[in-house]
Amino acid sequence: MTKSLASQHCRPLPEGTPALDAVHVAGLLDQLAVGWSLASDHTRLSKVFRFPDFHRTMAFVNALAWIAHVEDHHPDVEFGYNYCRVHWSTHTVNGLSLNDFICAAKVDGLGA
Amino acid sequence: MTKSLASQHCRPLPEGTPALDAVHVAGLLDQLAVGWSLASDHTRLSKVFRFPDFHRTMAFVNALAWIAHVEDHHPDVEFGYNYCRVHWSTHTVNGLSLNDFICAAKVDGLGA
């Protein structure tokens, strides 16, 4: 049985690790909740979350920061009064790695 | 004596309040610390802050959120591992209001 993405943890990537190819990316994207989208060049995995007020937005931002801290993998984030847009990518591979999908699954696990 | 921007508080803007004109914007920009820049159409006031690590970035993001809460004026924010970009604007005037400069001055007061 395949271990769910959300139950895995990010691992350091050995130097020279390539970015995931399109087939792997498509397979992993299927394992995430709806709403995640890929940049056209497959270098970034993004999702926007919407909230009824600023306090819930900030609570989400901080939960997201906790995931980033635990996994030592840090997203780029945009937020305002009632939204938070999360972007995962892996700079060292110039694209997407399994770590991005693990973190995306953990963000889905927040239940926002 | 003119009251400093940082010592003022945001006020609700009556309906129909116009955006600040270029002369007022220039005068207020002069009262802020260096680093703030205007969008070319003068609808947005932005500054990027850089940090040595994610924890300091998040501490700043939360201090910024506190200012937004107290002033009931909410920026758009972009952040990642070591940076936070803050954008102030006033949607109800389709541009900049005094409230944006008051909040920018309070952010400068964080001493980042």
Side-chain angles (χ1 to χ4, degrees):
Chain A
M1 187 183 159
T2 311
K3 222 175 160 189
S4 77
L5 281 172
S7 69
Q8 297 180 54
H9 289 285
C10 291
R11 292 189 195 175
L13 301 168
E15 209 179 313
T17 300
L20 293 171
D21 63 30
V23 172
H24 281 103
V25 164
L28 290 165
L29 193 58
D30 273 350
Q31 296 176 52
L32 298 177
V34 295
W36 291 98
S37 64
L38 296 169
S40 58
D41 59 358
H42 281 206
T43 56
R44 204 162 76 151
L45 177 67
S46 305
K47 184 170 177 177
V48 63
F49 296 85
R50 301 204 175 268
F51 304 93
D53 58 47
F54 186 62
H55 302 298
R56 290 181 224 214
T57 301
M58 286 311 304
F60 177 82
V61 166
N62 281 288
L64 178 62
W66 178 252
I67 291 171
H69 164 66
V70 170
E71 298 301 328
D72 196 20
H73 190 46
H74 303 84
D76 289 294
V77 179
E78 300 167 60
F79 74 89
Y81 181 78
N82 60 356
Y83 73 91
C84 180
R85 191 172 289 111
V86 184
H87 307 284
W88 293 105
S89 66
T90 301
H91 302 293
T92 53
V93 306
N94 286 316
L96 292 170
S97 72
L98 181 60
N99 292 344
D100 298 310
F101 288 89
I102 290 170
C103 286
K106 289 180 189 288
V107 171
D108 282 336
L110 296 173
Chain B
M1 189 182 155
T2 311
K3 223 174 159 188
S4 77
L5 281 171
S7 69
Q8 297 179 56
H9 290 285
C10 291
R11 294 186 193 178
L13 300 168
E15 210 178 312
T17 301
L20 292 172
D21 62 30
V23 172
H24 280 102
V25 164
L28 290 165
L29 194 58
D30 273 350
Q31 296 176 51
L32 298 177
V34 294
W36 291 97
S37 64
L38 297 168
S40 59
D41 58 359
H42 280 206
T43 57
R44 202 162 79 151
L45 177 67
S46 304
K47 184 170 176 176
V48 63
F49 296 86
R50 300 205 176 269
F51 304 95
D53 58 49
F54 186 62
H55 302 298
R56 290 181 224 214
T57 301
M58 286 311 303
F60 178 82
V61 166
N62 281 288
L64 179 62
W66 178 252
I67 291 171
H69 164 66
V70 170
E71 298 301 327
D72 196 20
H73 190 45
H74 302 84
D76 290 294
V77 179
E78 300 166 60
F79 74 89
Y81 182 79
N82 60 356
Y83 73 91
C84 179
R85 191 172 289 111
V86 185
H87 306 285
W88 294 104
S89 65
T90 302
H91 301 293
T92 54
V93 306
N94 286 316
L96 292 170
S97 72
L98 181 61
N99 291 344
D100 299 309
F101 288 89
I102 290 170
C103 286
K106 288 179 189 291
V107 172
D108 282 334
L110 295 174

